[in-house]
Amino acid sequence: MRLSFENINKGLVIKLDGELDHHTAEEIRDEIDREIEHYGAKNIIFDLSGMNFMDSSGIGVIIGRYKKVSKMGGEVAVVNINSRVERIFKMSGLFNIVKRFESKTQAVDSL
Amino acid sequence: MSIQNHMRLEFLSKSQNEAFARVVVASFAAQLDPTIEELADVKTAVSEAVTNAIIHGYEDKIGNVIIECSIQDNKIEIMIIDHGKGIDDVEEARQPLYTSKPELERSGMGFTVMETFMDEVEIQSLKDVGTKIRMVKRFESR
Ligand SMILES: Nc1ncnc2c1ncn2[C@@H]1O[C@H](COP(=O)(O)OP(=O)(O)OP(=O)(O)O)[C@@H](O)[C@H]1O
Ligand SMILES: [Mg+2]
């Protein structure tokens, strides 16, 4: 799993490339939290265009980050979600707390 | 009807083996000529059951996880076995959003994912003896 970060206004875009399971979740969780703190990011946007596998461990990662930023009044969004990951999001009710947008810029502008 | 192919895999309950396990099972299932979607269903379900064996079955200990797969016509049967601590209440464990480890950021969706992506999911578990998950997937594409 490869992580990259891009800071746009008050939003932090987090791009996840690879497979998100329990093993990789453990590797990226702390790094994501450090970056959120480092940038003082209010809102975070997950770019999932390069994420080719996710299981329920990914749900935990998203909910955990949601809890973190929502305490400070921030929001979580996703862009470029593929149909499989979308199924898991729907199944777990993640779209009740995570907004989806067509593009990064749209997400940053709307949050 | 008899079993036409079978494999058995055993590995340590280390998280880096989660990806290994789902790739091995998917490669074995490939002989049934599944669609990409069907193969992804199998991978995801295997990942869930193996992860559960590692984090709930063995917790902080290291033990063996065993996978057995059998092929019969257009159907694959997958067993995922651990000799860990077992499940107290299987009915409760199956409930969507039930997790015994919220502090580890688990969401309690693993069994729901398995049930959604596979045609059959059976749980056999005995406290302090272990857990066996039996899952079946039929590949309709053939
Ligand atoms: N192999 C196992 N050994 C012992 N307990 C298990 C095992 N598999 C599942 N369980 C129990 O069943 C519960 C539900 O499992 P499930 O996979 O649905 O959710 P989870 O693992 O807690 O969360 P998630 O899969 O969403 O990360 C677990 O919290 C655990 O208590
Ligand atoms: Mg689980």
Side-chain angles (χ1 to χ4, degrees):
Chain A
M1 172 118 265
R2 225 171 58 89
L3 271 180
S4 37
F5 300 92
E6 186 185 354
N7 195 24
I8 312 179
N9 294 333
K10 279 227 170 319
L12 180 65
V13 179
I14 305 167
K15 190 167 188 302
L16 304 179
D17 291 304
E19 309 204 333
L20 182 51
D21 63 7
H22 160 242
H23 180 72
T24 55
E26 297 295 309
E27 292 178 340
I28 66 167
R29 204 187 320 266
D30 293 343
E31 193 179 343
I32 293 177
D33 287 350
R34 270 200 304 277
E35 292 292 314
I36 293 173
E37 275 151 34
H38 173 75
Y39 287 109
K42 181 167 181 261
N43 302 314
I44 55 177
I45 298 126
F46 286 102
D47 179 352
L48 304 183
S49 53
M51 200 170 76
N52 37 44
F53 178 87
M54 183 183 109
D55 64 18
S56 67
S57 302
I59 303 170
V61 170
I62 308 271
I63 295 177
R65 301 313 55 73
Y66 169 79
K67 286 184 175 159
K68 189 177 172 69
V69 299
S70 63
K71 270 193 221 146
M72 311 296 281
E75 295 190 275
V76 178
V78 286
V79 295
N80 303 324
I81 188 168
N82 72 36
S83 65
R84 284 208 64 84
V85 176
E86 183 182 1
R87 257 181 100 183
I88 292 179
F89 267 61
K90 282 189 176 151
M91 205 184 286
S92 53
L94 267 183
F95 285 126
N96 293 319
I97 57 169
V98 174
K99 293 184 174 171
R100 66 188 296 179
F101 295 99
E102 292 305 311
S103 68
K104 285 192 290 198
T105 43
Q106 207 200 349
V108 172
D109 292 344
S110 313
L111 288 178
Chain B
M1 244 169 293
S2 59
I3 287 166
Q4 289 134 0
N5 202 354
H6 177 83
M7 71 89 160
R8 186 176 188 281
L9 177 73
E10 185 165 347
F11 53 89
L12 289 184
S13 59
K14 291 178 173 260
S15 64
Q16 52 273 48
N17 289 331
E18 292 156 3
F20 167 70
R22 57 182 186 260
V23 169
V24 171
V25 175
S27 312
F28 186 72
Q31 61 194 286
L32 290 176
D33 206 17
T35 62
I36 289 169
E37 195 68 14
E38 288 169 330
L39 216 47
D41 290 348
V42 169
K43 269 191 176 179
T44 313
V46 168
S47 195
E48 295 295 350
V50 169
T51 301
N52 281 353
I54 293 172
I55 62 182
H56 302 298
Y58 292 115
E59 296 187 297
D60 302 323
K61 296 181 279 295
I62 292 290
N64 287 318
V65 181
I66 297 156
I67 300 185
E68 292 203 35
C69 296
S70 300
I71 281 171
Q72 197 182 28
D73 301 329
N74 69 337
K75 177 179 107 175
I76 186 164
E77 182 191 65
I78 304 165
M79 313 261 224
I80 294 167
I81 300 153
D82 69 70
H83 300 114
K85 70 166 198 169
I87 303 175
D88 293 328
D89 181 342
V90 169
E91 276 322 298
E92 179 186 51
R94 280 187 108 113
Q95 296 300 315
L97 305 177
Y98 171 79
T99 180
S100 56
K101 293 205 185 307
E103 73 283 3
L104 295 185
E105 292 193 349
R106 308 317 304 179
S107 62
M109 288 301 294
F111 280 125
T112 307
V113 168
M114 290 180 241
E115 280 163 4
T116 306
F117 290 151
M118 302 295 280
D119 294 306
E120 293 172 34
V121 177
E122 277 171 35
I123 307 169
Q124 282 177 43
S125 192
L126 215 55
K127 212 171 154 32
D128 299 323
V129 176
T131 301
K132 183 195 248 183
I133 308 296
R134 176 183 171 273
M135 305 189 281
V136 173
K137 179 91 177 165
R138 286 179 202 86
F139 299 122
E140 307 299 343
S141 51
R142 286 186 106 201

